[in-house]
Amino acid sequence: MRALVLEEKLKLSLRDIDLPLEVGPRDVRIAIHTVGVCGSDVHYYTHGAIGPFIVKQPMVLGHEASGTVLEIGSEVKNLKVGDRVCMEPGVPDLNSKASKLGIYNVDPSVTFWATPPVHGCLTPQVVFPAAFTYKLPDNVSFAEGAMVEPFAIGMQAATKAKIVPGDTALVIGAGPIGIMVALAALAGGCSRVYISDLVNEKLAIAGQYDGVIPVNIREHDLKAKIAAETENWGVDIVFEASGSPRAYDGIFNYVRPGGCIVFVGLPVEPIALDIVSASAKEVRMETVFRYANVFDRALALIASGKVDLAPLITGTYDFEESIAAFERAASANPNDVKLQITL
């Protein structure tokens, strides 16, 4: 089948590639409709690796997807041909200790679309396990269905934060994931969420949402801003979603005593963490790696209308324009949040 293939660092091609389409008893075959361009896809394109995950051979990109069921396996009961669906792209070993503990996202043997050496889904058809395929409600578009995957990261972060209704939060970084985290925190019960960044265009997009308060750290001292807004107490929760090493400097200044910091962004290099400041406030620290047991709830929130992700889709490309979509994503246009490709 034709697919968008990352041949090697900085080299993409649209070409035919052999991909398996045999449907097992618990699988479904899906016609892909929409695929989001994720920051990890772009990082593999521009750098050829993310930490220990190195592109050593041609790999099909894409993991944020929606589509239509074309065929079901003999044991599939939850789906039928013609169903509109989205897919949770990480499939664990269901017999692993991680899966039995409910933390299948950290199963060492998980296979995740477009993570070397696993091919992704930027191709007209895929075969995928029915257990990780979710039917889209009638009021959820294919474009929104392809947004469930990145929103699930926000859901995982909000879940790990253990939000109490009325909490206040700060999200550091107004990229796609940062905004998703802010929306998930609001949906989880936060009364207001501050979001900081250096780019006014991204802050303006985040600021469209009621309850999200943008802060440009070129123009405002973030520590002073948070102190003034919280009577020198600090926010209940800080979400670090930028991945920038600079974000860790003074990060414990923003959170209240006994509060929580959730690390969502993944720095490329090791960073220093001020454990003394964390201990002095007894700050609870949580980490996020993908998500587990939240995909269906993320979809339910979108379907309910309580979370509107449509304003975050800032560009749509045809499949034959996939390379142009990735080139645009790699250019880091400040007005872009989420680009999508339709097949």
Side-chain angles (χ1 to χ4, degrees), residues 160-208:
K160 295 294 284 287
K162 299 179 181 176
I163 295 167
V164 174
D167 273 351
T168 57
L170 165 66
V171 177
I172 300 173
I177 296 302
I179 297 175
M180 301 282 188
V181 168
L183 297 179
L186 286 173
C190 280
S191 57
R192 63 186 188 277
V193 178
Y194 301 90
I195 188 165
S196 66
D197 206 289
L198 298 164
V199 182
N200 274 325
E201 290 88 346
K202 293 190 181 301
L203 289 168
I205 293 169
Q208 295 179 77

Side-chain angles (χ1 to χ4, degrees), residues 20-91:
L21 282 179
E22 181 179 349
V23 178
R26 299 179 183 178
D27 295 333
V28 290
R29 183 165 57 91
I30 300 161
I32 296 294
H33 185 282
T34 301
V35 179
V37 179
C38 177
S40 64
D41 294 320
V42 176
H43 201 86
Y44 284 125
Y45 168 47
T46 57
H47 292 75
I50 298 177
F53 302 105
I54 301 169
V55 179
K56 297 179 180 179
Q57 59 195 33
M59 179 181 75
V60 178
L61 291 172
H63 64 263
E64 305 173 1
S66 61
T68 303
V69 175
L70 296 176
E71 180 182 353
I72 64 172
S74 59
E75 297 180 17
V76 174
K77 306 298 182 184
N78 62 315
L79 296 166
K80 64 182 185 302
V81 172
D83 281 347
R84 299 162 58 255
V85 294
C86 62
M87 292 73 78
E88 182 173 353
V91 180

Side-chain angles (χ1 to χ4, degrees), residues 243-246 248 263 267 269-273:
S244 169
R246 291 176 295 175
Y248 291 81
F263 296 106
E269 302 293 337
I271 55 93
L273 200 61

Side-chain angles (χ1 to χ4, degrees), residues 161 167-168 233-238 252 254-262 278 281-286:
D167 273 351
T168 57
W233 181 237
V235 294
D236 298 292
I237 305 158
V238 174
F252 298 104
Y254 314 131
V255 66
R256 67 163 173 84
C260 177
I261 294 185
V262 183
K281 287 185 171 181
E282 287 204 345
V283 173
R284 176 169 57 90
M285 290 182 279
E286 298 280 358

Side-chain angles (χ1 to χ4, degrees), residues 291-303:
Y291 37 76
N293 306 304
V294 300
F295 214 84
D296 51 348
R297 290 189 287 147
L299 176 56
L301 269 175
I302 295 168

Side-chain angles (χ1 to χ4, degrees), residues 323-336:
I323 295 174
F326 270 78
E327 289 172 345
R328 175 172 163 179
S331 72
N333 184 331
N335 292 296
D336 281 339

